[in-house]
Amino acid sequence: MEVKVGIASFQGDVEEHLAATREALKKLGVKGLVATVKLPEEIESVDAVIIPGGESTVMGRLSSYKKSLDVLKRRIDEGLPVLGTCAGLILLAKRVYDRIVGETGQPVLGVLNILVERNTYGRQRDSFEAQIDVPPLGLNNFRAVFIRAPGILETESDVEILAYFAKRPVAVRQESILGTTFHPELSGSTAFHEELVRLAMGYRSR
Ligand code: GLN
């Protein structure tokens, strides 16, 4: 079986996800293709998609143009596996909050049943690393890189919490939707990308 994984390339750290996904395919011995996707017809052609970190407001606006956001939302609603990291997680969230402006009202996919707060760790801790455990993926001391990371404030009952840091959820799953507040593409481990490839294979062989 051959799977095609798309990296949403509206904005953000696309290259790192291309590399991590290629590495994940190699590790799993799965034949596949990894390509950037932006246009609706490109989004239609993939078996899984990754929404990278970056700036969620910019990403939301750029993806609304030419209706790519709508196509992505429809495909995810229909079961397309997706991994959203950092700003990508914000784009997936049903509700987005900002300490200063409150609910941001920015364009998002709204498919993941969480309330997320942008820039939750404040300025002085813009970026940091932490060792976390991700038991459902069999990971101990996973190196999680947080860059102006969001915080998950609430999760609905259909959202499984995969990992915590400082008592807050930092990785979640809701059916075929995976989300992290950190950047797994910078961790040196391809575990999250491998999980997405497994979901893509399942989706492909439905
Ligand atoms: N702070 C960014 C946002 O709110 C996310 C940062 C990131 O993706 N590294 O969109």
PDB file of all heavy atoms in Angstrom, residues 11-13 52-59 85-91 96 98 106 117-120 126 145-150 181-183 185, ligand 1:
ATOM      1  N   GLN A  11       1.635  28.464   5.709  1.00  0.00           N
ATOM      2  CA  GLN A  11       2.629  29.222   6.466  1.00  0.00           C
ATOM      3  C   GLN A  11       3.160  28.292   7.541  1.00  0.00           C
ATOM      4  O   GLN A  11       2.510  27.306   7.882  1.00  0.00           O
ATOM      5  CB  GLN A  11       1.938  30.447   7.107  1.00  0.00           C
ATOM      6  CG  GLN A  11       2.832  31.474   7.755  1.00  0.00           C
ATOM      7  CD  GLN A  11       2.876  31.313   9.266  1.00  0.00           C
ATOM      8  OE1 GLN A  11       2.005  30.688   9.854  1.00  0.00           O
ATOM      9  NE2 GLN A  11       3.916  31.837   9.880  1.00  0.00           N
ATOM     10  N   GLY A  12       4.366  28.569   8.075  1.00  0.00           N
ATOM     11  CA  GLY A  12       4.867  27.807   9.215  1.00  0.00           C
ATOM     12  C   GLY A  12       6.022  26.875   8.878  1.00  0.00           C
ATOM     13  O   GLY A  12       6.590  26.960   7.787  1.00  0.00           O
ATOM     14  N   ASP A  13       6.366  25.996   9.824  1.00  0.00           N
ATOM     15  CA  ASP A  13       7.580  25.177   9.658  1.00  0.00           C
ATOM     16  C   ASP A  13       7.284  23.875   8.897  1.00  0.00           C
ATOM     17  O   ASP A  13       7.225  22.788   9.450  1.00  0.00           O
ATOM     18  CB  ASP A  13       8.291  24.931  10.993  1.00  0.00           C
ATOM     19  CG  ASP A  13       7.532  24.020  11.935  1.00  0.00           C
ATOM     20  OD1 ASP A  13       6.290  24.015  11.874  1.00  0.00           O
ATOM     21  OD2 ASP A  13       8.190  23.295  12.703  1.00  0.00           O
ATOM     22  N   PRO A  52       1.229  22.504  10.340  1.00  0.00           N
ATOM     23  CA  PRO A  52       2.424  22.803  11.137  1.00  0.00           C
ATOM     24  C   PRO A  52       2.228  23.947  12.131  1.00  0.00           C
ATOM     25  O   PRO A  52       1.154  24.548  12.197  1.00  0.00           O
ATOM     26  CB  PRO A  52       3.448  23.203  10.066  1.00  0.00           C
ATOM     27  CG  PRO A  52       2.656  23.717   8.942  1.00  0.00           C
ATOM     28  CD  PRO A  52       1.342  22.985   8.969  1.00  0.00           C
ATOM     29  N   GLY A  53       3.292  24.234  12.878  1.00  0.00           N
ATOM     30  CA  GLY A  53       3.310  25.409  13.732  1.00  0.00           C
ATOM     31  C   GLY A  53       3.636  26.640  12.914  1.00  0.00           C
ATOM     32  O   GLY A  53       4.111  26.541  11.783  1.00  0.00           O
ATOM     33  N   GLY A  54       3.369  27.773  13.483  1.00  0.00           N
ATOM     34  CA  GLY A  54       3.600  29.036  12.785  1.00  0.00           C
ATOM     35  C   GLY A  54       2.792  30.103  13.462  1.00  0.00           C
ATOM     36  O   GLY A  54       2.878  30.246  14.677  1.00  0.00           O
ATOM     37  N   GLU A  55       1.972  30.780  12.715  1.00  0.00           N
ATOM     38  CA  GLU A  55       1.109  31.813  13.279  1.00  0.00           C
ATOM     39  C   GLU A  55      -0.323  31.489  12.865  1.00  0.00           C
ATOM     40  O   GLU A  55      -0.663  31.568  11.688  1.00  0.00           O
ATOM     41  CB  GLU A  55       1.576  33.179  12.752  1.00  0.00           C
ATOM     42  CG  GLU A  55       0.975  34.342  13.473  1.00  0.00           C
ATOM     43  CD  GLU A  55       1.240  34.327  14.981  1.00  0.00           C
ATOM     44  OE1 GLU A  55       2.402  34.087  15.384  1.00  0.00           O
ATOM     45  OE2 GLU A  55       0.287  34.542  15.736  1.00  0.00           O
ATOM     46  N   SER A  56      -1.133  31.104  13.838  1.00  0.00           N
ATOM     47  CA  SER A  56      -2.455  30.564  13.502  1.00  0.00           C
ATOM     48  C   SER A  56      -3.365  31.578  12.810  1.00  0.00           C
ATOM     49  O   SER A  56      -4.173  31.211  11.963  1.00  0.00           O
ATOM     50  CB  SER A  56      -3.130  30.014  14.756  1.00  0.00           C
ATOM     51  OG  SER A  56      -3.295  31.025  15.722  1.00  0.00           O
ATOM     52  N   THR A  57      -3.219  32.867  13.164  1.00  0.00           N
ATOM     53  CA  THR A  57      -4.091  33.868  12.523  1.00  0.00           C
ATOM     54  C   THR A  57      -3.747  33.990  11.038  1.00  0.00           C
ATOM     55  O   THR A  57      -4.637  34.059  10.185  1.00  0.00           O
ATOM     56  CB  THR A  57      -3.925  35.260  13.181  1.00  0.00           C
ATOM     57  OG1 THR A  57      -2.536  35.540  13.287  1.00  0.00           O
ATOM     58  CG2 THR A  57      -4.550  35.297  14.550  1.00  0.00           C
ATOM     59  N   VAL A  58      -2.456  33.992  10.741  1.00  0.00           N
ATOM     60  CA  VAL A  58      -2.003  34.110   9.348  1.00  0.00           C
ATOM     61  C   VAL A  58      -2.418  32.867   8.565  1.00  0.00           C
ATOM     62  O   VAL A  58      -2.961  32.940   7.456  1.00  0.00           O
ATOM     63  CB  VAL A  58      -0.457  34.274   9.295  1.00  0.00           C
ATOM     64  CG1 VAL A  58       0.030  34.326   7.857  1.00  0.00           C
ATOM     65  CG2 VAL A  58      -0.032  35.516  10.047  1.00  0.00           C
ATOM     66  N   MET A  59      -2.201  31.699   9.195  1.00  0.00           N
ATOM     67  CA  MET A  59      -2.538  30.439   8.537  1.00  0.00           C
ATOM     68  C   MET A  59      -4.038  30.358   8.238  1.00  0.00           C
ATOM     69  O   MET A  59      -4.453  29.928   7.175  1.00  0.00           O
ATOM     70  CB  MET A  59      -2.164  29.297   9.484  1.00  0.00           C
ATOM     71  CG  MET A  59      -1.232  28.308   8.883  1.00  0.00           C
ATOM     72  SD  MET A  59      -0.930  27.009  10.072  1.00  0.00           S
ATOM     73  CE  MET A  59       0.564  27.581  10.785  1.00  0.00           C
ATOM     74  N   THR A  85       0.085  20.699  14.960  1.00  0.00           N
ATOM     75  CA  THR A  85       1.091  20.989  15.979  1.00  0.00           C
ATOM     76  C   THR A  85       1.136  22.480  16.253  1.00  0.00           C
ATOM     77  O   THR A  85       1.236  23.282  15.331  1.00  0.00           O
ATOM     78  CB  THR A  85       2.491  20.507  15.532  1.00  0.00           C
ATOM     79  OG1 THR A  85       2.921  21.257  14.394  1.00  0.00           O
ATOM     80  CG2 THR A  85       2.471  19.036  15.148  1.00  0.00           C
ATOM     81  N   CYS A  86       1.040  22.838  17.513  1.00  0.00           N
ATOM     82  CA  CYS A  86       1.156  24.229  17.965  1.00  0.00           C
ATOM     83  C   CYS A  86       0.115  25.125  17.270  1.00  0.00           C
ATOM     84  O   CYS A  86      -1.072  24.968  17.523  1.00  0.00           O
ATOM     85  CB  CYS A  86       2.586  24.707  17.785  1.00  0.00           C
ATOM     86  SG  CYS A  86       2.993  26.073  18.858  1.00  0.00           S
ATOM     87  N   ALA A  87       0.511  26.009  16.377  1.00  0.00           N
ATOM     88  CA  ALA A  87      -0.491  26.814  15.671  1.00  0.00           C
ATOM     89  C   ALA A  87      -1.471  25.920  14.901  1.00  0.00           C
ATOM     90  O   ALA A  87      -2.651  26.250  14.755  1.00  0.00           O
ATOM     91  CB  ALA A  87       0.191  27.790  14.713  1.00  0.00           C
ATOM     92  N   GLY A  88      -0.968  24.772  14.439  1.00  0.00           N
ATOM     93  CA  GLY A  88      -1.831  23.802  13.743  1.00  0.00           C
ATOM     94  C   GLY A  88      -2.910  23.250  14.660  1.00  0.00           C
ATOM     95  O   GLY A  88      -4.042  23.001  14.232  1.00  0.00           O
ATOM     96  N   LEU A  89      -2.572  23.080  15.939  1.00  0.00           N
ATOM     97  CA  LEU A  89      -3.563  22.636  16.933  1.00  0.00           C
ATOM     98  C   LEU A  89      -4.618  23.733  17.123  1.00  0.00           C
ATOM     99  O   LEU A  89      -5.814  23.449  17.225  1.00  0.00           O
ATOM    100  CB  LEU A  89      -2.868  22.335  18.263  1.00  0.00           C
ATOM    101  CG  LEU A  89      -3.818  22.086  19.441  1.00  0.00           C
ATOM    102  CD1 LEU A  89      -4.312  20.645  19.435  1.00  0.00           C
ATOM    103  CD2 LEU A  89      -3.155  22.395  20.763  1.00  0.00           C
ATOM    104  N   ILE A  90      -4.154  24.977  17.159  1.00  0.00           N
ATOM    105  CA  ILE A  90      -5.094  26.110  17.308  1.00  0.00           C
ATOM    106  C   ILE A  90      -6.074  26.112  16.136  1.00  0.00           C
ATOM    107  O   ILE A  90      -7.276  26.295  16.308  1.00  0.00           O
ATOM    108  CB  ILE A  90      -4.322  27.455  17.382  1.00  0.00           C
ATOM    109  CG1 ILE A  90      -3.422  27.486  18.623  1.00  0.00           C
ATOM    110  CG2 ILE A  90      -5.295  28.641  17.391  1.00  0.00           C
ATOM    111  CD1 ILE A  90      -2.477  28.674  18.696  1.00  0.00           C
ATOM    112  N   LEU A  91      -5.561  25.857  14.951  1.00  0.00           N
ATOM    113  CA  LEU A  91      -6.414  25.839  13.756  1.00  0.00           C
ATOM    114  C   LEU A  91      -7.459  24.720  13.806  1.00  0.00           C
ATOM    115  O   LEU A  91      -8.546  24.846  13.256  1.00  0.00           O
ATOM    116  CB  LEU A  91      -5.532  25.685  12.510  1.00  0.00           C
ATOM    117  CG  LEU A  91      -5.994  26.471  11.289  1.00  0.00           C
ATOM    118  CD1 LEU A  91      -5.904  27.964  11.540  1.00  0.00           C
ATOM    119  CD2 LEU A  91      -5.158  26.119  10.074  1.00  0.00           C
ATOM    120  N   VAL A  96     -11.080  29.111  20.459  1.00  0.00           N
ATOM    121  CA  VAL A  96      -9.756  29.701  20.653  1.00  0.00           C
ATOM    122  C   VAL A  96      -9.879  30.953  21.515  1.00  0.00           C
ATOM    123  O   VAL A  96     -10.691  31.833  21.245  1.00  0.00           O
ATOM    124  CB  VAL A  96      -9.098  30.065  19.299  1.00  0.00           C
ATOM    125  CG1 VAL A  96      -7.681  30.591  19.526  1.00  0.00           C
ATOM    126  CG2 VAL A  96      -9.081  28.871  18.360  1.00  0.00           C
ATOM    127  N   ASP A  98      -7.819  34.011  23.948  1.00  0.00           N
ATOM    128  CA  ASP A  98      -6.612  34.807  24.158  1.00  0.00           C
ATOM    129  C   ASP A  98      -6.830  35.605  25.433  1.00  0.00           C
ATOM    130  O   ASP A  98      -7.910  36.159  25.628  1.00  0.00           O
ATOM    131  CB  ASP A  98      -6.432  35.742  22.955  1.00  0.00           C
ATOM    132  CG  ASP A  98      -5.242  36.662  23.080  1.00  0.00           C
ATOM    133  OD1 ASP A  98      -5.245  37.517  23.990  1.00  0.00           O
ATOM    134  OD2 ASP A  98      -4.327  36.540  22.272  1.00  0.00           O
ATOM    135  N   GLN A 106     -10.939  34.119  15.310  1.00  0.00           N
ATOM    136  CA  GLN A 106     -10.112  33.942  14.111  1.00  0.00           C
ATOM    137  C   GLN A 106     -10.623  32.743  13.300  1.00  0.00           C
ATOM    138  O   GLN A 106     -11.261  31.853  13.863  1.00  0.00           O
ATOM    139  CB  GLN A 106      -8.643  33.738  14.510  1.00  0.00           C
ATOM    140  CG  GLN A 106      -8.377  32.460  15.277  1.00  0.00           C
ATOM    141  CD  GLN A 106      -7.003  32.471  15.955  1.00  0.00           C
ATOM    142  OE1 GLN A 106      -6.816  32.987  17.037  1.00  0.00           O
ATOM    143  NE2 GLN A 106      -6.033  31.866  15.281  1.00  0.00           N
ATOM    144  N   GLU A 117      -5.914  28.109  24.559  1.00  0.00           N
ATOM    145  CA  GLU A 117      -5.495  29.490  24.820  1.00  0.00           C
ATOM    146  C   GLU A 117      -4.176  29.762  24.105  1.00  0.00           C
ATOM    147  O   GLU A 117      -3.197  29.035  24.307  1.00  0.00           O
ATOM    148  CB  GLU A 117      -5.301  29.711  26.331  1.00  0.00           C
ATOM    149  CG  GLU A 117      -4.838  31.119  26.645  1.00  0.00           C
ATOM    150  CD  GLU A 117      -4.575  31.333  28.134  1.00  0.00           C
ATOM    151  OE1 GLU A 117      -3.766  30.586  28.729  1.00  0.00           O
ATOM    152  OE2 GLU A 117      -5.193  32.235  28.703  1.00  0.00           O
ATOM    153  N   ARG A 118      -4.148  30.805  23.312  1.00  0.00           N
ATOM    154  CA  ARG A 118      -2.919  31.140  22.586  1.00  0.00           C
ATOM    155  C   ARG A 118      -1.861  31.678  23.565  1.00  0.00           C
ATOM    156  O   ARG A 118      -2.196  32.325  24.546  1.00  0.00           O
ATOM    157  CB  ARG A 118      -3.198  32.197  21.516  1.00  0.00           C
ATOM    158  CG  ARG A 118      -4.156  31.707  20.448  1.00  0.00           C
ATOM    159  CD  ARG A 118      -4.344  32.750  19.369  1.00  0.00           C
ATOM    160  NE  ARG A 118      -3.111  33.001  18.662  1.00  0.00           N
ATOM    161  CZ  ARG A 118      -2.888  34.083  17.922  1.00  0.00           C
ATOM    162  NH1 ARG A 118      -3.801  35.010  17.811  1.00  0.00           N
ATOM    163  NH2 ARG A 118      -1.747  34.226  17.286  1.00  0.00           N
ATOM    164  N   ASN A 119      -0.612  31.406  23.245  1.00  0.00           N
ATOM    165  CA  ASN A 119       0.538  31.949  23.998  1.00  0.00           C
ATOM    166  C   ASN A 119       0.365  31.785  25.509  1.00  0.00           C
ATOM    167  O   ASN A 119       0.582  32.720  26.278  1.00  0.00           O
ATOM    168  CB  ASN A 119       0.737  33.426  23.645  1.00  0.00           C
ATOM    169  CG  ASN A 119       0.892  33.620  22.152  1.00  0.00           C
ATOM    170  OD1 ASN A 119       1.617  32.881  21.488  1.00  0.00           O
ATOM    171  ND2 ASN A 119       0.198  34.589  21.597  1.00  0.00           N
ATOM    172  N   THR A 120       0.010  30.618  25.913  1.00  0.00           N
ATOM    173  CA  THR A 120      -0.400  30.387  27.295  1.00  0.00           C
ATOM    174  C   THR A 120       0.747  30.515  28.288  1.00  0.00           C
ATOM    175  O   THR A 120       0.525  30.827  29.440  1.00  0.00           O
ATOM    176  CB  THR A 120      -1.078  28.994  27.396  1.00  0.00           C
ATOM    177  OG1 THR A 120      -1.952  28.981  28.500  1.00  0.00           O
ATOM    178  CG2 THR A 120      -0.078  27.869  27.521  1.00  0.00           C
ATOM    179  N   ASP A 126       8.547  32.094  26.401  1.00  0.00           N
ATOM    180  CA  ASP A 126       8.212  31.904  24.986  1.00  0.00           C
ATOM    181  C   ASP A 126       8.490  30.496  24.504  1.00  0.00           C
ATOM    182  O   ASP A 126       7.694  29.880  23.844  1.00  0.00           O
ATOM    183  CB  ASP A 126       9.103  32.775  24.121  1.00  0.00           C
ATOM    184  CG  ASP A 126       8.606  34.191  24.046  1.00  0.00           C
ATOM    185  OD1 ASP A 126       7.381  34.405  24.118  1.00  0.00           O
ATOM    186  OD2 ASP A 126       9.443  35.057  23.901  1.00  0.00           O
ATOM    187  N   VAL A 145       9.346  20.230  22.514  1.00  0.00           N
ATOM    188  CA  VAL A 145       9.810  21.602  22.302  1.00  0.00           C
ATOM    189  C   VAL A 145       8.591  22.510  22.194  1.00  0.00           C
ATOM    190  O   VAL A 145       7.755  22.338  21.307  1.00  0.00           O
ATOM    191  CB  VAL A 145      10.651  21.683  20.997  1.00  0.00           C
ATOM    192  CG1 VAL A 145      11.157  23.103  20.773  1.00  0.00           C
ATOM    193  CG2 VAL A 145      11.807  20.689  21.036  1.00  0.00           C
ATOM    194  N   PHE A 146       8.503  23.457  23.135  1.00  0.00           N
ATOM    195  CA  PHE A 146       7.368  24.388  23.169  1.00  0.00           C
ATOM    196  C   PHE A 146       7.834  25.757  22.691  1.00  0.00           C
ATOM    197  O   PHE A 146       8.786  26.317  23.235  1.00  0.00           O
ATOM    198  CB  PHE A 146       6.842  24.518  24.598  1.00  0.00           C
ATOM    199  CG  PHE A 146       6.252  23.245  25.175  1.00  0.00           C
ATOM    200  CD1 PHE A 146       7.068  22.292  25.765  1.00  0.00           C
ATOM    201  CD2 PHE A 146       4.879  23.031  25.134  1.00  0.00           C
ATOM    202  CE1 PHE A 146       6.527  21.124  26.310  1.00  0.00           C
ATOM    203  CE2 PHE A 146       4.327  21.865  25.683  1.00  0.00           C
ATOM    204  CZ  PHE A 146       5.153  20.918  26.260  1.00  0.00           C
ATOM    205  N   ILE A 147       7.180  26.285  21.657  1.00  0.00           N
ATOM    206  CA  ILE A 147       7.568  27.599  21.118  1.00  0.00           C
ATOM    207  C   ILE A 147       6.326  28.498  21.096  1.00  0.00           C
ATOM    208  O   ILE A 147       5.406  28.261  20.313  1.00  0.00           O
ATOM    209  CB  ILE A 147       8.150  27.466  19.696  1.00  0.00           C
ATOM    210  CG1 ILE A 147       9.358  26.521  19.695  1.00  0.00           C
ATOM    211  CG2 ILE A 147       8.546  28.846  19.151  1.00  0.00           C
ATOM    212  CD1 ILE A 147       9.861  26.146  18.315  1.00  0.00           C
ATOM    213  N   ARG A 148       6.286  29.482  21.965  1.00  0.00           N
ATOM    214  CA  ARG A 148       5.091  30.336  22.116  1.00  0.00           C
ATOM    215  C   ARG A 148       3.830  29.460  22.045  1.00  0.00           C
ATOM    216  O   ARG A 148       2.904  29.699  21.283  1.00  0.00           O
ATOM    217  CB  ARG A 148       5.057  31.437  21.044  1.00  0.00           C
ATOM    218  CG  ARG A 148       6.132  32.503  21.275  1.00  0.00           C
ATOM    219  CD  ARG A 148       5.958  33.705  20.367  1.00  0.00           C
ATOM    220  NE  ARG A 148       5.904  33.337  18.974  1.00  0.00           N
ATOM    221  CZ  ARG A 148       4.861  33.489  18.189  1.00  0.00           C
ATOM    222  NH1 ARG A 148       3.759  34.044  18.639  1.00  0.00           N
ATOM    223  NH2 ARG A 148       4.907  33.107  16.938  1.00  0.00           N
ATOM    224  N   ALA A 149       3.874  28.456  22.871  1.00  0.00           N
ATOM    225  CA  ALA A 149       2.894  27.370  22.751  1.00  0.00           C
ATOM    226  C   ALA A 149       1.529  27.749  23.308  1.00  0.00           C
ATOM    227  O   ALA A 149       1.430  28.536  24.246  1.00  0.00           O
ATOM    228  CB  ALA A 149       3.427  26.140  23.476  1.00  0.00           C
ATOM    229  N   PRO A 150       0.497  27.155  22.717  1.00  0.00           N
ATOM    230  CA  PRO A 150      -0.843  27.318  23.278  1.00  0.00           C
ATOM    231  C   PRO A 150      -1.049  26.367  24.459  1.00  0.00           C
ATOM    232  O   PRO A 150      -0.258  25.447  24.665  1.00  0.00           O
ATOM    233  CB  PRO A 150      -1.748  26.925  22.103  1.00  0.00           C
ATOM    234  CG  PRO A 150      -0.932  25.938  21.321  1.00  0.00           C
ATOM    235  CD  PRO A 150       0.502  26.337  21.500  1.00  0.00           C
ATOM    236  N   THR A 181       0.542  20.615  21.583  1.00  0.00           N
ATOM    237  CA  THR A 181       0.849  22.043  21.796  1.00  0.00           C
ATOM    238  C   THR A 181       2.327  22.306  21.526  1.00  0.00           C
ATOM    239  O   THR A 181       2.746  23.434  21.405  1.00  0.00           O
ATOM    240  CB  THR A 181       0.507  22.481  23.239  1.00  0.00           C
ATOM    241  OG1 THR A 181       1.358  21.787  24.149  1.00  0.00           O
ATOM    242  CG2 THR A 181      -0.948  22.194  23.575  1.00  0.00           C
ATOM    243  N   PHE A 182       3.115  21.215  21.458  1.00  0.00           N
ATOM    244  CA  PHE A 182       4.559  21.335  21.205  1.00  0.00           C
ATOM    245  C   PHE A 182       4.865  20.953  19.760  1.00  0.00           C
ATOM    246  O   PHE A 182       3.954  20.723  18.957  1.00  0.00           O
ATOM    247  CB  PHE A 182       5.339  20.445  22.201  1.00  0.00           C
ATOM    248  CG  PHE A 182       4.851  19.019  22.237  1.00  0.00           C
ATOM    249  CD1 PHE A 182       5.355  18.070  21.366  1.00  0.00           C
ATOM    250  CD2 PHE A 182       3.857  18.641  23.139  1.00  0.00           C
ATOM    251  CE1 PHE A 182       4.883  16.763  21.383  1.00  0.00           C
ATOM    252  CE2 PHE A 182       3.384  17.323  23.175  1.00  0.00           C
ATOM    253  CZ  PHE A 182       3.895  16.397  22.295  1.00  0.00           C
ATOM    254  N   HIS A 183       6.154  20.906  19.436  1.00  0.00           N
ATOM    255  CA  HIS A 183       6.593  20.646  18.057  1.00  0.00           C
ATOM    256  C   HIS A 183       7.253  19.274  17.938  1.00  0.00           C
ATOM    257  O   HIS A 183       8.482  19.180  18.056  1.00  0.00           O
ATOM    258  CB  HIS A 183       7.599  21.731  17.635  1.00  0.00           C
ATOM    259  CG  HIS A 183       6.986  23.056  17.373  1.00  0.00           C
ATOM    260  ND1 HIS A 183       6.717  23.521  16.106  1.00  0.00           N
ATOM    261  CD2 HIS A 183       6.572  24.015  18.222  1.00  0.00           C
ATOM    262  CE1 HIS A 183       6.159  24.717  16.184  1.00  0.00           C
ATOM    263  NE2 HIS A 183       6.059  25.053  17.463  1.00  0.00           N
ATOM    264  N   GLU A 185       7.998  17.622  15.423  1.00  0.00           N
ATOM    265  CA  GLU A 185       8.923  17.576  14.278  1.00  0.00           C
ATOM    266  C   GLU A 185      10.325  18.059  14.664  1.00  0.00           C
ATOM    267  O   GLU A 185      11.268  17.904  13.899  1.00  0.00           O
ATOM    268  CB  GLU A 185       8.363  18.388  13.102  1.00  0.00           C
ATOM    269  CG  GLU A 185       8.427  19.902  13.220  1.00  0.00           C
ATOM    270  CD  GLU A 185       7.392  20.518  14.180  1.00  0.00           C
ATOM    271  OE1 GLU A 185       6.692  19.759  14.884  1.00  0.00           O
ATOM    272  OE2 GLU A 185       7.321  21.756  14.218  1.00  0.00           O
TER     273      GLU A 185
HETATM  274  N1  GLN B   1       1.740  31.575  19.138  1.00  0.00           N
HETATM  275  C1  GLN B   1       1.384  31.025  17.868  1.00  0.00           C
HETATM  276  C2  GLN B   1      -0.103  31.230  17.562  1.00  0.00           C
HETATM  277  O1  GLN B   1      -0.837  31.603  18.409  1.00  0.00           O
HETATM  278  C3  GLN B   1       1.722  29.559  17.807  1.00  0.00           C
HETATM  279  C4  GLN B   1       3.207  29.369  17.931  1.00  0.00           C
HETATM  280  C5  GLN B   1       3.747  28.187  17.191  1.00  0.00           C
HETATM  281  O2  GLN B   1       3.095  27.573  16.354  1.00  0.00           O
HETATM  282  N2  GLN B   1       4.995  27.882  17.432  1.00  0.00           N
HETATM  283  O3  GLN B   1      -0.518  31.038  16.471  1.00  0.00           O
END
